[in-house]
Amino acid sequence: MAKEYDIAKASGVCSTCERELAGGEEFVAALFDTAEGFRRDDFCKSCWEGRSDEAEKAFSVWHSRIPLPSEPKKPVVNNNVLVDFFEKLDAQSEPAKVNFRFVLALMLMRKKMLIYDGSSDEEGREVWTMHFKSEQAAVKVIRPELNAEQIAEVGTQLGALFEVEI
Ligand SMILES: [Zn+2]
């Protein structure tokens, strides 16, 4: 599969003042939707507070914390962050975003947060109808034609963006 998205991994460095974030330090992670794909920038709290323009341009924003040396290396991203990203990908037609949304749907199904209700053919595409466990509203997810290897690749990209096992 062509890599439509180059994803910059989390760096542990503030993208503005270029200071290395310390263990235990809270920071803000933001995803920007650029022509080259989603770019993740991390900001120390004081730099983020001075950049409301960035906050408006960001596709997704979440707060996180650098783990202490005694803690597991990968911080656990809040499920709400993933659900928020999933919902923002609704009605996006770029193939890479359709792929992200579908692979996130699989992950949310594994977490038993999203429930599969059925599939239908809409204009030649397979569309899954689903709902969140806590809500009645139907959620539509396009099923792109991805094989297991491609799904794993998309999962790796998502994992790099969010520092999470997908
Ligand atoms: Zn900074």
Side-chain angles (χ1 to χ4, degrees), residues 14-19 21 43-48:
C14 174
S15 63
T16 302
C17 66
E18 297 181 351
R19 184 170 62 76
L21 301 168
F43 298 86
C44 72
K45 286 191 97 174
S46 60
C47 286
W48 180 255

Side-chain angles (χ1 to χ4, degrees), residues 18-129:
E18 297 181 351
R19 184 170 62 76
E20 193 170 333
L21 301 168
E25 183 173 349
E26 288 181 22
F27 66 98
V28 177
L31 293 190
F32 297 95
D33 188 7
T34 74
E36 292 80 41
F38 284 112
R39 185 187 80 239
R40 172 172 164 172
D41 286 339
D42 292 344
F43 298 86
C44 72
K45 286 191 97 174
S46 60
C47 286
W48 180 255
E49 280 161 16
R51 303 196 65 157
S52 56
D53 56 326
E54 297 289 317
E56 279 167 29
K57 278 186 283 180
F59 190 87
S60 275
V61 175
W62 67 98
H63 292 252
S64 191
R65 193 176 140 272
I66 301 288
L68 292 166
S70 57
E71 293 171 331
K73 276 227 166 57
K74 289 209 166 203
V76 176
V77 71
N78 190 307
N79 283 335
N80 292 341
V81 171
L82 297 173
V83 169
D84 177 68
F85 186 61
F86 173 81
E87 288 182 337
K88 284 183 175 148
L89 291 171
D90 190 15
Q92 301 270 353
S93 56
E94 268 177 68
K97 288 179 181 159
V98 170
N99 293 348
F100 275 164
R101 183 166 159 88
F102 176 69
V103 173
L104 271 172
L106 296 179
M107 188 208 72
L108 295 170
M109 274 171 76
R110 275 204 303 277
K111 288 177 179 271
K112 303 197 189 321
M113 293 169 65
L114 195 59
I115 292 135
Y116 172 87
D117 295 315
S119 75
S120 58
D121 187 308
E122 291 186 15
E123 295 165 15
R125 290 182 311 194
E126 184 177 345
V127 176
W128 286 4
T129 303

